Amino acid sequence: MKSKHLIVVSVDALVFEDLEYAKTLPMFGKILREGSMVERVKTIYPSLTHPVHASLLTGCPAGVTGIVSNTHFTPGNLESPWYNRLEEIRCETIFHAAKRAGLSTASCRWPVTANGGDCIDYLVPEVLPADMAGHEDNPIQAYINTGTSECLLDIVTEALKRYGHGNDHPAYDEFQIYCAAEIFRRFRPNLLFTHPGYVDHMRHNTGLFNERVNASIKETDRWISMLWNAAAETGLENDTDIIILSDHGQLGISRTVCPNVFLRDAGYIQADEQDHLVSWDAYALSCGLSAQVYLSHPEDSALYNSVRDSLEKMAAKKDWGTERVFTREEVKELYGLDGGFSFVLESDGVTSYSDEWAGPALRELDTSDYRFGHATHGHMPEKGPQPTMFAMGPSVRKGVIVPQGHILDHAATFAKILGIDFPQAQGKAAEFV
Ligand SMILES: [Zn+2]
């Protein structure tokens, strides 16, 4: 039976190993008992939140969506702007396909949906610190600027009053779940996407598996209950499918390395006496556990070959924490990752990358940024604990366990549940829908 409503909850950085605990909780337990699952889901490369969420919406890898990293390549700027506007995704999303089929769509803080009002009827975007800058005294303006639907401004105003406008977890998640539940209650969209990030946040701050991570899973269970209760209150419980999925795992790390310090020492980056970047011929953008190396003139074969030799030499020294140097062609072939970079560095799995070009090349742990911390991601999708996916509802058969799937399958699964055409999605729908 085709469902009339689909709720998709992306629990950032939830992994299969978490389900041993999660199944003891009321809502996760209910969905796992009454529904079906794909145990381990291979994600895209780089395994970063914004690229993966763009792929979830499109069924296409980063080389097609154009969302190749969390942040844009802006050499010399350590605060590179994030990819967050829906129009930055270079292909159609499930929202476009759903609208074309006459369905109503909603997204509450799903990455890369800002200003996506042309195909999202009920939109609360992610409002990043750069969006909030200058609007701290009137935060609703930042929500208006990033495309929050006019009909939701009273809900967002109330959420701002209750939970504040910061990016701190779990207040950030409470804000979002309050809004998502209100959107379902009031507008009953056919499609609702939302993205609590507390588990990911706790892993970055405290490591892969521990009591505090479990506490964040327990809170997330409560939030999913709130969403499900909103469906029940509207009497639509039996017409609603719910999918819980995740975007990537994480790996425990112990240090950070700065490939731009190496590139500067090798003469490819020039900086002044205050360490401001003056010019560059090769520059690495950190993706956490991988880094994308851009060349000023990628068509210059002498530059290309000399940078490649230098990076290979760097990787050969264990101190530089680099397991492999991929060419652009190799990552395109292996992972469908393609962009303006010429090389991709893959970490040794215990070392994360920084964008810094000044100061020491090797650094101790630092929890101030997602790229560092006790655990992080961005690595090759085969490594470490894997993301997972499970679902229940009228479109989902009960008790099917699929051992292995791919993140690009999810968009096809959404389309099949909604009964809409989405031929662009490269994966295939889960066999239990
Ligand atoms: Zn994530």
Side-chain angles (χ1 to χ4, degrees), residues 12-13 47-50 53 195 200 247-248 377:
D12 203 297
S47 50
L48 285 183
T49 302
H50 284 222
H53 281 79
H195 166 236
D200 177 72
D247 53 349
H248 51 71
H377 47 100

Side-chain angles (χ1 to χ4, degrees), residues 6 33 39 44 71 123 172-173 199 204 222 225 255 259 266 274 281 291 328 333 368 395 403 405 410 424 429:
L6 172 63
R33 269 192 318 278
E39 291 183 324
I44 58 156
T71 54
L123 172 63
Y172 189 80
D173 310 88
V199 176
H204 282 299
R222 181 172 65 77
S225 294
R255 60 182 188 167
Q274 283 80 45
D281 284 310
R328 173 183 177 179
E333 170 73 22
S368 64
S395 312
H410 292 340
Q424 162 197 286

